[in-house]
Amino acid sequence: MDTCKKNDFKKVLGKISSAEFGTIPDHPYLLGLLLTFKLGDGGGVGDGGRYTENISKSCVFVTQTREEALSAIVDKTADILKEAKVHYVSELVNMPVEITLDGNCFNDFRILSEVL
């Protein structure tokens, strides 16, 4: 059963509960920023690998080069760190955020920089 409704967006407050930069254990070819969030209602959600990229040398990139794709992941991570006013990914833990869900699935987030 698909628990994600398409175009059923809602915003909830929460905090980043874990922040790592590396590979996904079950998919070691995906490298990037891995985030999980604790929602204000006590629930939780992960980013689903949204900020990762396929680093396999055999991957065929259609809309951009491998280098451009990897650069985009690094740039996104740098932007998040800058917005949060921190230097290390580990410092993102407990950062207040507004999370956008589509049904019960992660869609996006933003650092609540106005409360930092």
Side-chain angles (χ1 to χ4, degrees):
M1 182 171 126
D2 185 10
T3 59
C4 294
K5 298 178 184 176
K6 301 303 174 200
N7 299 315
D8 180 23
F9 296 102
K10 64 181 174 183
K11 295 185 181 209
V12 295
L13 298 178
K15 290 186 175 189
I16 296 174
S17 56
S18 73
E20 303 284 344
F21 192 92
T23 59
I24 297 176
D26 293 342
H27 305 284
Y29 53 88
L30 295 175
L31 173 75
L33 184 63
L34 305 164
L35 300 170
T36 57
F37 303 89
K38 182 177 180 186
L39 307 179
D41 65 3
V45 68
D47 68 12
R50 182 179 188 103
Y51 308 107
T52 64
E53 191 56 65
N54 190 331
I55 60 168
S56 172
K57 294 191 192 282
S58 64
C59 179
V60 177
F61 290 85
V62 177
T63 60
Q64 58 188 351
T65 67
R66 180 175 189 266
E67 291 76 15
E68 290 169 332
L70 295 174
S71 179
I73 292 300
V74 172
D75 288 345
K76 179 65 175 176
T77 302
D79 290 345
I80 291 168
L81 293 174
K82 183 177 180 180
E83 186 179 357
K85 300 176 184 166
V86 298
H87 300 280
Y88 303 103
V89 169
S90 60
E91 293 176 296
L92 293 172
V93 173
N94 291 319
M95 192 68 54
V97 293
E98 178 183 73
I99 304 139
T100 304
L101 300 174
D102 186 358
N104 293 323
C105 294
F106 177 82
N107 180 267
D108 202 3
F109 82 101
R110 74 176 184 91
I111 302 289
L112 293 175
S113 56
E114 60 271 21
V115 299
L116 296 181

